[in-house]
């Protein structure tokens, strides 16, 4: 069974640009959550999607957005990139609602220059 | 924001020794989970302990939970070089996890 796949693995963007990251969950998993990891702030929750609906949102500005498709694949978008957006972006999927185990992808390393 | 602190921030031990790392959290919990992260890559779920449990074992891992002190500890016995990683505790649901600051474990030969 394939794991959570995130693409691309590495990305370099310029300040002011926008970026779209993709996450394909484990087959059959309907919930996808996104996290940002930086040396200064650690691991922080961005948002969660379940059945194409955003169920939870973390404390991030509106420049950070996401969506989920009918096949459960999810994308997150960051507009007007800032240097501080440089981070490892992690996606996690789980089967459904409730306290089940989250499976993480390898992450997308975004560098903003 | 992060749920709490992990202690120590970094730990260096020799292969075969035991490694203990601690996690403190701030709010009431239903369960607490531990994850491992190798060198800035994805997180791997290690173990989940529920609030009504005091101790749980999984292979070489032993986790304790003290809800009165809002703290948990992870013990790795007979450590191996492959255990070198960062370890995070996390609270919340699998949909929205709040992570601790992490402990970087270095196991040397």
């Amino acid at each position: 069974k394939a794991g959570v796949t995130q693409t691309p693995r590495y990305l370099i963007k310029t300040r002011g640009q926008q970026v779209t990251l993709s996450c394909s969950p484990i087959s059959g998993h309907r919930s996808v959550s996104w996290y940002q990891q930086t040396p200064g702030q650690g691991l922080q929750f961005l948002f969660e999607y379940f059945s194409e609906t955003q169920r939870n949102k973390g404390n991030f500005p509106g420049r950070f957005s996401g969506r989920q498709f009918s096949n459960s694949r999810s994308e997150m978008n960051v507009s007007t990139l800032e240097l501080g957006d440089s981070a490892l972006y992690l996606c996690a999927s789980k089967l459904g609602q409730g306290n089940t185990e989250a499976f993480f992808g390898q992450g997308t390393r975004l560098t903003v220059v | 924001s992060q749920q709490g602190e992990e202690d120590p921030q970094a730990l260096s031990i020799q292969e075969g020794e035991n490694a203990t790392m601690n996690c403190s959290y701030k709010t009431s919990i239903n369960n607490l989970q531990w994850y491992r992260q190798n060198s800035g890559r994805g997180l791997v779920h290690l173990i989940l302990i529920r609030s009504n449990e005091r101790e749980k074992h999984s292979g070489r891992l032993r986790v304790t939970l003290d809800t009165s002190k809002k703290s948990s500890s992870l013990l790795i016995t007979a450590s191996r070089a492959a255990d070198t990683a960062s370890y995070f505790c996390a609270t919340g649901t699998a949909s929205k996890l709040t992570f601790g600051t992490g402990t970087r474990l270095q196991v040397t030969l």
Side-chain angles (χ1 to χ4, degrees), chain B residues 18-32:
Chain B
N18 296 340
T20 299
M21 47 206 88
N22 305 294
C23 162
S24 62
Y25 56 91
K26 298 174 182 173
T27 61
S28 298
I29 60 169
N30 291 322
N31 61 68
L32 184 142

Side-chain angles (χ1 to χ4, degrees), chain A residues 9 31 33 35 37 41-45 48 88 90 94 99-102 104-106 109, chain B residues 1-2 30-31 33 35 37 40-43 45 48 50 88 92-97 99:
Chain A
R9 289 293 311 279
S31 170
S33 298
Y35 295 84
Q37 185 177 27
Q41 299 298 315
L43 280 152
Q44 296 191 88
F45 171 79
E48 183 228 354
L88 180 67
L90 292 162
K94 69 182 185 74
N99 285 346
T100 57
E101 180 183 340
F104 281 80
Q106 293 299 296
R109 172 76 62 183
Chain B
S1 62
Q2 290 171 308
N30 291 322
N31 61 68
Q33 305 181 52
Y35 285 82
Q37 184 178 38
R41 304 183 72 183
L43 291 120
H45 183 266
L48 179 150
R50 301 193 187 282
F88 296 88
T93 70
S95 301
K96 182 182 178 182
L97 293 164
F99 289 90

Side-chain angles (χ1 to χ4, degrees), chain B:
Chain B
S1 62
Q2 290 171 308
Q3 171 67 292
E5 298 291 321
E6 289 184 60
D7 166 57
Q9 287 189 338
L11 181 60
S12 182
I13 60 173
Q14 291 191 317
E15 202 171 47
E17 294 181 333
N18 296 340
T20 299
M21 47 206 88
N22 305 294
C23 162
S24 62
Y25 56 91
K26 298 174 182 173
T27 61
S28 298
I29 60 169
N30 291 322
N31 61 68
L32 184 142
Q33 305 181 52
W34 285 88
Y35 285 82
R36 184 186 75 223
Q37 184 178 38
N38 288 84
S39 191
R41 304 183 72 183
L43 291 120
V44 175
H45 183 266
L46 295 176
I47 195 167
L48 179 150
I49 185 166
R50 301 193 187 282
S51 59
N52 61 353
E53 298 175 307
R54 291 296 169 258
E55 187 171 312
K56 198 163 183 179
H57 296 254
S58 177
R60 294 184 296 112
L61 305 180
R62 171 178 167 254
V63 169
T64 62
L65 179 64
D66 187 336
T67 53
S68 67
K69 295 181 180 178
K70 290 188 169 58
S71 67
S72 175
S73 68
L74 171 67
L75 168 67
I76 304 174
T77 61
S79 62
R80 306 165 181 168
D83 295 328
T84 294
S86 292
Y87 292 82
F88 296 88
C89 65
T91 57
T93 70
S95 301
K96 182 182 178 182
L97 293 164
T98 301
F99 289 90
T101 51
T103 293
R104 292 188 308 278
L105 174 64
Q106 176 77 44
V107 181
T108 56
L109 296 171

